[in-house]
């Protein structure tokens, strides 16, 4: 094997003695070059402008009764996602990991976590999703690996090994560093390595051409199988220049620009989005990722839904400067972005619906966190991010953890606290349910190009009411939202003399006509919204 052939006898001895090598089955390490081989794309142009569902495979659906969700369980539930109206799926890490849970401590960048299935299961998921017009992207952790990864073991074992420069080493721990209150240099193999997120996840040295080529080859490995793109984790931390300049460095942007070029030049209709918490709008530019999550906006969206005037104003103003390639959300898998939406808004179902309506009708690519579409809560009393990553609630059956697994099987984590009332089975046939509300919103987005890809125009706020317009060259839509618990009136000007608007939501609502000056006064019920489309 190439791996063994590259080791000196001294390296082998050191490797065997390395304290970072727990006993167990060897971890695969495929680092062969992978040339681009685009299988093509059957997805429609612009598929990435539809709403995505962020899915934690471990928590989505258990098909084989081991208490852990898997790829086959996801494939079996694709009709649900198609019926809901999502156009994309973001898979949280599905590659082999050291933790076998959150998945960001990767041990094999080209292999499936065994509990989730096989590469054949992955291929089947891609094939079946595409047959339903749904694209699939997956998490890719380019910044770091698990300390159990074979490359880090070899890098640790010998200063002369070819993989030494794949990671960042110093003979002594540099002074003056502080990353989120911690010193990021950790001892291993008689030296110190750099790790942004702790000693269990050492950072790659992405100045190393060989380490970078390994990642590019691994990206092509998945793209060649038909994957539609990636969500890149922790991109501001790819390059550190000093104890002062360790975050959001120009070289990191250049690295992601090169990844975009790899995807653009070698493949059709692929898409990528980046996680960058501190300055996300910069990462959404053409000089970098091209799309990035709109961190910070999620808190304003939820406060706006609560009726907080300052938050409403910030939401209205956001896309006047932010690029339309931002990816929006209300919550996600990380607790720093907030608890699950149901846990933040509690019993205020009207506010819940308004929060959903706002981000699904604004510009950007919206990401629904699995279970949000049924009002799923977390689980009280669990540590860290665990309350956010509980089994999906399919039914009210407590014996199967809300239909997540088979009756009598213990799930990897307790079911949602409100699984008995907020589950797919209970809401699927209820036209007044949260699930029906999300279906309606996604139908609006999918059916109106002005909402999916249109310009953002003329935002305005009057008290607790907000209005904005979405437009393409062929379609003009008006969105009105009253976050207050009292009726509101908002005046819209310059709509065009005697312009007529049909009601898209609520469906069948009365038509509206502007006066000769292009002005309309709209009366809005408490905690309500309207969507109107200009008639030709």
């Amino acid at each position: 094997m190439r791996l063994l052939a590259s080791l000196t006898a001294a390296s082998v001895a050191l490797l065997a003695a390395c304290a970072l090598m727990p006993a167990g089955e060897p971890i695969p390490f495929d680092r062969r070059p992978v040339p681009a081989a685009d299988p093509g794309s059957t997805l429609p142009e612009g598929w990435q402008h539809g709403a995505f569902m962020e899915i934690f495979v471990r928590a989505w659906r258990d098909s084989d009764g081991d208490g852990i969700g898997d790829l086959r369980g996801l494939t079996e539930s694709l009709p649900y996602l198609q019926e809901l109206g999502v156009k994309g799926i973001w898979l949280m890490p599905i590659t082999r990991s050291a933790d076998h849970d959150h998945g960001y401590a990767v041990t094999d960048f080209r292999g499936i976590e065994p509990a989730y299935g096989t590469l054949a299961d992955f291929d089947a998921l891609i094939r079946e999703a595409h047959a339903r017009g749904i694209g699939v992207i997956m998490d890719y952790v380019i910044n770091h690996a698990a300390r159990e990864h074979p490359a880090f073991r070899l890098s640790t074992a010998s200063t002369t090994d070819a993989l030494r420069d794949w990671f960042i080493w110093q003979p002594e721990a540099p002074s003056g560093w502080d990353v989120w209150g911690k010193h990021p240099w950790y001892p291993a193999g008689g030296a110190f390595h750099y790790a942004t997120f702790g000693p269990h996840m050492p950072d790659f040295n992405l100045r190393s051409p060989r380490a970078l080529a390994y990642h590019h080859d691994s990206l092509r490995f998945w793209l060649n199988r038909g994957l539609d793109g990636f969500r890149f984790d922790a991109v501001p931390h790819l390059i550190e220049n000093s104890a002062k300049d360790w975050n959001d460095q120009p070289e990191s942007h250049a690295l992601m620009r090169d990844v975009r070029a790899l995807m653009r030049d070698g493949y059709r209709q692929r898409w990528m989005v980046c996680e960058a918490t501190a300055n996300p709008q910069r990462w959404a530019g053409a000089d970098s990722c091209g799309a990035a999550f709109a961190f910070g906006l999620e808190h304003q969206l939820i406060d706006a839904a609560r009726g907080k005037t300052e938050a409403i104003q910030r939401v209205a103003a956001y896309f006047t400067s932010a690029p339309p390639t931002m990816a929006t959300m209300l919550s996600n898998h990380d607790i720093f972005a907030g608890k699950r939406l149901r846990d933040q808004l509690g019993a205020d179902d009207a506010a819940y619906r308004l929060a959903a309506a706002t981000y699904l009708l604004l510009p950007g690519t919206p990401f629904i966190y699995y279970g949000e579409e049924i009002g799923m809560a977390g689980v009280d009393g669990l540590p860290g991010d665990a309350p956010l990553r509980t089994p999906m609630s399919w039914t009210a059956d407590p014996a199967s953890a809300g239909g997540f697994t088979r009756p009598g099987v213990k799930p990897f984590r307790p079911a949602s606290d409100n699984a008995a009332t907020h589950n797919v089975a209970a809401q699927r046939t209820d036209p007044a349910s949260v699930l029906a509300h999300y279906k309606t919103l996604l139908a609006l987005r999918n059916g109106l190009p002005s909402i999916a890809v249109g310009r953002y125009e003329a935002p305005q706020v009057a008290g607790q009411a907000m209005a904005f317009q979405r437009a393409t060259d062929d379609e003009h839509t008006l969105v009105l939202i009253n976050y207050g618990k009292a009726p509101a009136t908002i005046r819209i000007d310059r709509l065009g003399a005697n312009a007529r608007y049909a009601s898209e939501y609520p469906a069948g609502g009365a038509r509206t006509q502007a006066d000769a000056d292009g002005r309309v006064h709209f009366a809005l019920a408490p905690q309500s919204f309207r969507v109107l489309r200009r008639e030709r």
Side-chain angles (χ1 to χ4, degrees):
M1 293 177 62
R2 292 181 60 193
L3 175 60
L4 292 178
S6 70
L7 295 175
T8 65
S11 295
V12 173
L14 283 166
L15 188 58
C18 181
L20 294 174
M21 290 188 64
E25 183 179 341
I27 296 170
F29 184 25
D30 181 0
R31 51 186 169 120
R32 291 170 293 179
V34 179
D38 184 11
S41 174
T42 61
L43 297 177
E45 291 286 343
W47 67 272
Q48 72 273 18
H49 298 300
F52 277 66
M53 179 75 78
E54 179 192 355
I55 292 178
F56 184 29
V57 170
R58 189 176 185 82
W60 181 253
R61 191 163 228 170
D62 171 21
S63 72
D64 57 8
D66 64 356
I68 297 172
D70 46 54
L71 292 172
R72 289 188 180 185
L74 175 53
T75 301
E76 291 168 0
S77 60
L78 286 172
Y80 167 75
L81 296 172
Q82 183 181 19
E83 179 186 343
L84 179 61
V86 300
K87 298 300 181 181
I89 298 170
W90 160 21
L91 302 174
M92 287 174 60
I94 58 170
T95 44
R96 285 177 179 258
S97 70
D99 60 87
H100 310 295
D101 193 315
H102 69 77
Y104 290 95
V106 181
T107 57
D108 180 5
F109 284 85
R110 303 182 192 179
I112 300 293
E113 177 68 28
Y116 296 168
T118 65
L119 283 171
D121 294 328
F122 173 84
D123 294 340
L125 169 64
I126 298 296
R127 182 173 61 252
E128 294 301 321
H130 287 174
R132 291 167 172 79
I134 299 173
V136 182
I137 67 174
M138 64 180 257
D139 246 307
Y140 192 90
V141 188
I142 194 170
N143 178 71
H144 54 266
R147 63 184 167 194
E148 293 84 0
H149 192 285
F152 185 67
R153 293 176 173 178
L154 296 169
S155 183
T156 303
S158 170
T159 59
T160 61
D161 191 86
L163 277 78
R164 181 68 171 184
D165 75 340
W166 280 37
F167 296 87
I168 305 167
W169 294 98
Q170 291 289 342
E172 302 292 338
S175 61
W177 287 75
D178 184 334
V179 175
W180 304 311
K182 294 182 179 180
H183 192 270
W185 293 89
Y186 299 93
F192 291 81
H193 69 90
Y194 183 85
T196 301
F197 297 99
H200 60 300
M201 292 192 289
D203 280 36
F204 280 102
N205 173 22
L206 295 177
R207 300 183 198 272
S208 163
R210 287 174 292 191
L212 188 59
Y214 169 69
H215 280 299
H216 286 186
D217 286 326
S218 296
L219 295 174
R220 285 188 286 263
F221 174 87
W222 296 106
L223 294 169
N224 289 355
R225 303 189 86 92
L227 185 73
D228 301 294
F230 300 95
R231 179 266 190 186
F232 286 99
D233 183 66
V235 295
H237 310 299
L238 304 183
I239 296 291
E240 293 79 25
N241 285 314
S242 69
K244 179 174 177 269
D245 300 315
W246 57 267
N247 191 28
D248 207 359
Q249 298 301 293
E251 297 92 333
S252 297
H253 288 268
L255 286 171
M256 296 315 298
R257 187 171 62 247
D258 289 346
V259 168
R260 280 182 67 209
L262 177 154
M263 295 172 60
R264 180 192 63 239
D265 297 342
Y267 302 88
R268 289 188 62 252
Q269 299 225 89
R270 303 307 204 271
W271 185 69
M272 60 183 271
V273 60
C274 291
E275 179 203 38
T277 56
N279 192 4
Q281 292 188 30
R282 183 183 174 198
W283 288 89
D287 234 14
S288 189
C289 293
F293 283 95
F295 284 104
L297 179 61
E298 72 276 15
H299 301 302
Q300 302 303 328
L301 288 164
I302 293 171
D303 279 346
R306 293 183 174 118
K308 295 184 179 182
T309 304
E310 288 186 2
I312 297 169
Q313 292 169 342
R314 291 192 182 104
V315 169
Y318 186 84
F319 279 102
T320 60
S321 59
T325 53
M326 302 305 296
T328 57
M329 61 183 175
L330 296 175
S331 65
N332 68 10
H333 60 285
D334 283 321
I335 197 68
F336 72 77
K339 294 181 178 180
R340 278 191 171 272
L341 184 61
R342 177 58 66 189
D343 295 321
Q344 294 191 62
L345 293 177
D348 193 344
D349 198 57
Y352 195 107
R353 293 165 185 255
L354 288 180
T358 306
Y359 91 111
L360 291 173
L361 297 173
L362 279 170
T365 296
F367 279 75
I368 301 166
Y369 188 44
Y370 79 96
E372 176 193 313
E373 78 282 8
I374 55 172
M376 194 172 109
V379 175
D380 274 342
L382 298 180
D385 299 318
L388 309 172
R389 306 180 189 184
T390 55
M392 176 68 177
S393 301
W394 295 98
T395 71
D397 179 22
S400 60
F404 163 73
T405 187
R406 297 175 185 175
V409 173
K410 183 179 179 180
F412 76 99
R413 192 165 286 150
S416 165
D417 286 344
N418 67 352
T421 54
H422 290 70
N423 59 74
V424 173
Q427 296 189 24
R428 206 162 198 167
T429 58
D430 179 1
S433 67
V434 173
L435 180 60
H437 181 66
Y438 272 76
K439 288 181 182 179
T440 297
L441 288 166
L442 294 183
L444 284 170
R445 186 176 186 90
N446 295 337
L448 295 170
S450 56
I451 298 295
V453 297
R455 300 180 297 275
Y456 182 68
E457 300 177 342
Q460 63 183 86
V461 175
Q464 292 176 296
M466 178 174 79
F468 56 86
Q469 298 169 42
R470 305 294 311 279
T472 64
D473 292 343
D474 300 318
E475 184 176 87
H476 184 271
T477 304
L478 179 60
V479 178
L480 311 162
I481 306 174
N482 177 18
Y483 298 103
K485 295 185 178 181
T489 300
I490 189 167
R491 189 183 84 182
I492 311 297
D493 297 322
R494 297 189 294 276
L495 292 177
N498 304 310
R500 290 172 59 86
Y501 283 81
S503 179
E504 296 287 339
Y505 183 89
R511 283 177 167 78
T512 299
Q513 183 170 343
D515 63 20
D517 295 320
R519 181 185 303 118
V520 179
H521 288 81
F522 287 98
L524 299 171
Q527 293 184 295
S528 69
F529 72 97
R530 296 183 65 183
V531 180
L532 301 104
R533 177 180 50 81
R534 181 186 290 168
E535 294 183 322
R536 290 182 178 272

